[in-house]
């Protein structure tokens, strides 16, 4: 999978993670369509996401636009992702709130594009989808998989 020239803004999950660089989207034979698309997708992709439901109820795009953020759930999610993958969903939604979704996605395009082949480096394991090169990102950031 090659990194697109522009990441589709519907691939920004309400929690701040970018579905375009998620391992379930990048490395699957049938790529996950992203957290926002799941309501209309086959049952295999439907998941209950409290953050998605909460943002939809409030009529906002992501948690960074919430007046009460960070909530207890986002804080717990933040800890899990930061400890496990070195990614801060809270920082991502705050960046999006300050600079806009398009700016965040462009930043992700720069970070997660393989410099060797232009493939997508997944945020969970730091592995390029096209050439397989391992990068010090995600769970592989400490040299382990």
């Amino acid at each position: 999978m090659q990194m697109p020239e522009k990441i589709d803004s519907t691939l920004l999950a309400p929690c701040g993670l970018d579905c375009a660089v998620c391992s379930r989207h990048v490395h699957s034979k049938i790529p996950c369509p992203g957290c926002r698309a799941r309501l209309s997708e086959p049952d295999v992709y439907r998941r209950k996401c409290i953050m998605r439901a909460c943002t939809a109820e409030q009529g906002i795009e992501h948690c960074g636009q919430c007046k009460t953020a960070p909530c207890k759930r986002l804080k717990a999610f933040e800890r899990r992702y930061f400890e496990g993958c070195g990614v801060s969903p809270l920082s991502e939604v705050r960046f999006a709130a300050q600079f806009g979704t398009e700016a965040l996605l462009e930043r992700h395009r720069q970070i997660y594009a393989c410099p060797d082949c232009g493939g997508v480096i997944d945020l969970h394991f730091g592995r390029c989808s096209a050439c397989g090169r391992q990068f010090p990102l995600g769970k592989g950031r400490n040299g382990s998989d």
Side-chain angles (χ1 to χ4, degrees), residues 61-72:
E61 188 178 334
H62 54 75
C63 295
Q65 297 167 328
C66 181
K67 293 179 178 108
T68 61
C71 67
K72 182 170 56 173

Side-chain angles (χ1 to χ4, degrees), residues 4 9 23 34 38 40-41 45 48 56-57 60 84 92 100-101 106-107 115 126 128 142 144:
S9 63
S23 61
R38 287 188 174 157
S40 63
E41 293 296 323
Y45 292 116
K48 279 189 170 180
E57 192 174 282
I60 58 177
E92 301 293 81
T101 299
E106 179 55 28
R107 183 171 84 162
C128 176
N142 297 322
S144 61

Side-chain angles (χ1 to χ4, degrees), residues 26-103:
V26 175
H27 295 292
S28 297
K29 287 181 182 179
I30 301 172
C32 175
C35 294
R36 293 185 185 281
R38 287 188 174 157
L39 293 176
S40 63
E41 293 296 323
D43 288 340
V44 70
Y45 292 116
R46 289 190 190 152
R47 304 273 191 271
K48 279 189 170 180
C49 175
I50 294 169
M51 288 181 267
R52 180 183 66 199
C54 182
T55 55
E57 192 174 282
Q58 293 184 62
I60 58 177
E61 188 178 334
H62 54 75
C63 295
Q65 297 167 328
C66 181
K67 293 179 178 108
T68 61
C71 67
K72 182 170 56 173
R73 284 189 183 95
L74 185 57
K75 286 179 184 176
F77 190 70
E78 164 78 11
R79 268 191 308 279
R80 187 176 75 215
Y81 257 85
F82 192 74
E83 290 170 7
C85 299
V87 175
S88 171
L90 183 55
S91 294
E92 301 293 81
V93 294
R94 285 180 173 160
F95 184 94
Q98 184 174 0
F99 300 106
T101 299
E102 297 300 324

